[in-house]
PDB file of all heavy atoms in Angstrom:
ATOM      1  N   ALA A  35      86.192  86.196 111.665  1.00 98.00           N
ATOM      2  CA  ALA A  35      87.147  86.701 110.672  1.00 98.00           C
ATOM      3  C   ALA A  35      87.947  85.540 110.123  1.00 98.00           C
ATOM      4  O   ALA A  35      88.327  84.635 110.870  1.00 98.00           O
ATOM      5  CB  ALA A  35      88.087  87.709 111.324  1.00 98.00           C
ATOM      6  N   LYS A  36      88.186  85.541 108.816  1.00 97.00           N
ATOM      7  CA  LYS A  36      89.099  84.527 108.274  1.00 97.00           C
ATOM      8  C   LYS A  36      89.958  85.118 107.158  1.00 97.00           C
ATOM      9  O   LYS A  36      89.524  86.030 106.444  1.00 97.00           O
ATOM     10  CB  LYS A  36      88.357  83.271 107.830  1.00 97.00           C
ATOM     11  CG  LYS A  36      87.402  83.461 106.698  1.00 97.00           C
ATOM     12  CD  LYS A  36      86.867  82.100 106.241  1.00 97.00           C
ATOM     13  CE  LYS A  36      86.184  82.251 104.899  1.00 97.00           C
ATOM     14  NZ  LYS A  36      84.884  81.710 104.756  1.00 97.00           N
ATOM     15  N   THR A  37      91.167  84.596 107.059  1.00 98.00           N
ATOM     16  CA  THR A  37      92.093  85.091 106.050  1.00 98.00           C
ATOM     17  C   THR A  37      91.631  84.648 104.662  1.00 98.00           C
ATOM     18  O   THR A  37      91.330  83.472 104.448  1.00 98.00           O
ATOM     19  CB  THR A  37      93.508  84.566 106.338  1.00 98.00           C
ATOM     20  OG1 THR A  37      93.913  85.098 107.608  1.00 98.00           O
ATOM     21  CG2 THR A  37      94.502  85.011 105.270  1.00 98.00           C
ATOM     22  N   VAL A  38      91.555  85.609 103.743  1.00 98.00           N
ATOM     23  CA  VAL A  38      91.195  85.305 102.354  1.00 98.00           C
ATOM     24  C   VAL A  38      92.425  84.825 101.596  1.00 98.00           C
ATOM     25  O   VAL A  38      92.404  83.819 100.896  1.00 98.00           O
ATOM     26  CB  VAL A  38      90.608  86.558 101.669  1.00 98.00           C
ATOM     27  CG1 VAL A  38      90.344  86.313 100.189  1.00 98.00           C
ATOM     28  CG2 VAL A  38      89.337  87.014 102.379  1.00 98.00           C
ATOM     29  N   ALA A  39      93.521  85.593 101.736  1.00 98.00           N
ATOM     30  CA  ALA A  39      94.783  85.253 101.066  1.00 98.00           C
ATOM     31  C   ALA A  39      95.892  86.083 101.686  1.00 98.00           C
ATOM     32  O   ALA A  39      95.657  87.205 102.139  1.00 98.00           O
ATOM     33  CB  ALA A  39      94.691  85.536  99.567  1.00 98.00           C
ATOM     34  N   SER A  40      97.112  85.515 101.701  1.00 98.00           N
ATOM     35  CA  SER A  40      98.284  86.203 102.252  1.00 98.00           C
ATOM     36  C   SER A  40      99.369  86.290 101.198  1.00 98.00           C
ATOM     37  O   SER A  40      99.463  85.422 100.329  1.00 98.00           O
ATOM     38  CB  SER A  40      98.897  85.401 103.409  1.00 98.00           C
ATOM     39  OG  SER A  40      98.123  85.490 104.547  1.00 98.00           O
ATOM     40  N   LEU A  41     100.234  87.293 101.355  1.00 98.00           N
ATOM     41  CA  LEU A  41     101.471  87.297 100.575  1.00 98.00           C
ATOM     42  C   LEU A  41     102.425  86.285 101.219  1.00 98.00           C
ATOM     43  O   LEU A  41     102.120  85.726 102.277  1.00 98.00           O
ATOM     44  CB  LEU A  41     102.073  88.703 100.545  1.00 98.00           C
ATOM     45  CG  LEU A  41     101.227  89.741  99.788  1.00 98.00           C
ATOM     46  CD1 LEU A  41     101.819  91.136  99.934  1.00 98.00           C
ATOM     47  CD2 LEU A  41     101.120  89.383  98.307  1.00 98.00           C
ATOM     48  N   SER A  42     103.583  86.065 100.599  1.00 98.00           N
ATOM     49  CA  SER A  42     104.478  85.040 101.148  1.00 98.00           C
ATOM     50  C   SER A  42     105.671  85.621 101.900  1.00 98.00           C
ATOM     51  O   SER A  42     106.385  84.875 102.562  1.00 98.00           O
ATOM     52  CB  SER A  42     104.968  84.135 100.013  1.00 98.00           C
ATOM     53  OG  SER A  42     105.576  84.919  99.023  1.00 98.00           O
ATOM     54  N   GLU A  43     105.878  86.951 101.804  1.00 98.00           N
ATOM     55  CA  GLU A  43     107.072  87.545 102.429  1.00 98.00           C
ATOM     56  C   GLU A  43     106.705  88.526 103.531  1.00 98.00           C
ATOM     57  O   GLU A  43     105.704  89.251 103.416  1.00 98.00           O
ATOM     58  CB  GLU A  43     107.856  88.362 101.391  1.00 98.00           C
ATOM     59  CG  GLU A  43     108.515  87.576 100.298  1.00 98.00           C
ATOM     60  CD  GLU A  43     109.091  88.535  99.261  1.00 98.00           C
ATOM     61  OE1 GLU A  43     109.911  89.401  99.633  1.00 98.00           O
ATOM     62  OE2 GLU A  43     108.696  88.438  98.090  1.00 98.00           O
ATOM     63  N   ASN A  44     107.575  88.634 104.551  1.00 98.00           N
ATOM     64  CA  ASN A  44     107.474  89.701 105.552  1.00 98.00           C
ATOM     65  C   ASN A  44     107.848  91.044 104.922  1.00 98.00           C
ATOM     66  O   ASN A  44     108.339  91.096 103.798  1.00 98.00           O
ATOM     67  CB  ASN A  44     108.425  89.420 106.713  1.00 98.00           C
ATOM     68  CG  ASN A  44     107.851  88.399 107.692  1.00 98.00           C
ATOM     69  OD1 ASN A  44     106.644  88.153 107.720  1.00 98.00           O
ATOM     70  ND2 ASN A  44     108.719  87.819 108.503  1.00 98.00           N
ATOM     71  N   ASN A  45     107.649  92.121 105.690  1.00 97.00           N
ATOM     72  CA  ASN A  45     107.945  93.482 105.219  1.00 97.00           C
ATOM     73  C   ASN A  45     107.151  93.840 103.977  1.00 97.00           C
ATOM     74  O   ASN A  45     107.608  94.580 103.121  1.00 97.00           O
ATOM     75  CB  ASN A  45     109.454  93.669 104.954  1.00 97.00           C
ATOM     76  CG  ASN A  45     110.242  93.481 106.229  1.00 97.00           C
ATOM     77  OD1 ASN A  45     109.891  94.051 107.257  1.00 97.00           O
ATOM     78  ND2 ASN A  45     111.278  92.663 106.177  1.00 97.00           N
ATOM     79  N   THR A  46     105.951  93.304 103.901  1.00 98.00           N
ATOM     80  CA  THR A  46     105.017  93.684 102.841  1.00 98.00           C
ATOM     81  C   THR A  46     103.867  94.440 103.498  1.00 98.00           C
ATOM     82  O   THR A  46     103.532  94.188 104.661  1.00 98.00           O
ATOM     83  CB  THR A  46     104.498  92.448 102.087  1.00 98.00           C
ATOM     84  OG1 THR A  46     104.103  91.453 103.035  1.00 98.00           O
ATOM     85  CG2 THR A  46     105.575  91.882 101.176  1.00 98.00           C
ATOM     86  N   PHE A  47     103.269  95.379 102.772  1.00 98.00           N
ATOM     87  CA  PHE A  47     102.286  96.298 103.357  1.00 98.00           C
ATOM     88  C   PHE A  47     101.218  96.534 102.302  1.00 98.00           C
ATOM     89  O   PHE A  47     101.456  97.243 101.327  1.00 98.00           O
ATOM     90  CB  PHE A  47     103.022  97.600 103.714  1.00 98.00           C
ATOM     91  CG  PHE A  47     102.273  98.616 104.531  1.00 98.00           C
ATOM     92  CD1 PHE A  47     102.828  99.105 105.708  1.00 98.00           C
ATOM     93  CD2 PHE A  47     101.054  99.120 104.123  1.00 98.00           C
ATOM     94  CE1 PHE A  47     102.175 100.067 106.473  1.00 98.00           C
ATOM     95  CE2 PHE A  47     100.391 100.082 104.869  1.00 98.00           C
ATOM     96  CZ  PHE A  47     100.954 100.558 106.043  1.00 98.00           C
ATOM     97  N   LEU A  48     100.067  95.876 102.457  1.00 98.00           N
ATOM     98  CA  LEU A  48      98.944  96.164 101.555  1.00 98.00           C
ATOM     99  C   LEU A  48      98.247  97.403 102.094  1.00 98.00           C
ATOM    100  O   LEU A  48      98.015  97.531 103.294  1.00 98.00           O
ATOM    101  CB  LEU A  48      97.996  94.969 101.470  1.00 98.00           C
ATOM    102  CG  LEU A  48      98.626  93.706 100.865  1.00 98.00           C
ATOM    103  CD1 LEU A  48      97.636  92.536 100.907  1.00 98.00           C
ATOM    104  CD2 LEU A  48      99.094  93.948  99.428  1.00 98.00           C
ATOM    105  N   GLU A  49      97.913  98.334 101.214  1.00 98.00           N
ATOM    106  CA  GLU A  49      97.485  99.661 101.667  1.00 98.00           C
ATOM    107  C   GLU A  49      96.009  99.941 101.439  1.00 98.00           C
ATOM    108  O   GLU A  49      95.362 100.587 102.247  1.00 98.00           O
ATOM    109  CB  GLU A  49      98.340 100.716 100.954  1.00 98.00           C
ATOM    110  CG  GLU A  49      97.841 102.147 101.016  1.00 98.00           C
ATOM    111  CD  GLU A  49      97.883 102.759 102.395  1.00 98.00           C
ATOM    112  OE1 GLU A  49      98.470 102.161 103.319  1.00 98.00           O
ATOM    113  OE2 GLU A  49      97.317 103.860 102.555  1.00 98.00           O
TER     114      GLU A  49
END
Side-chain angles (χ1 to χ4, degrees):
K36 64 173 194 230
T37 297
V38 175
S40 286
L41 294 174
S42 56
E43 292 173 57
N44 280 341
N45 298 312
T46 47
F47 190 126
L48 296 176
E49 165 67 10

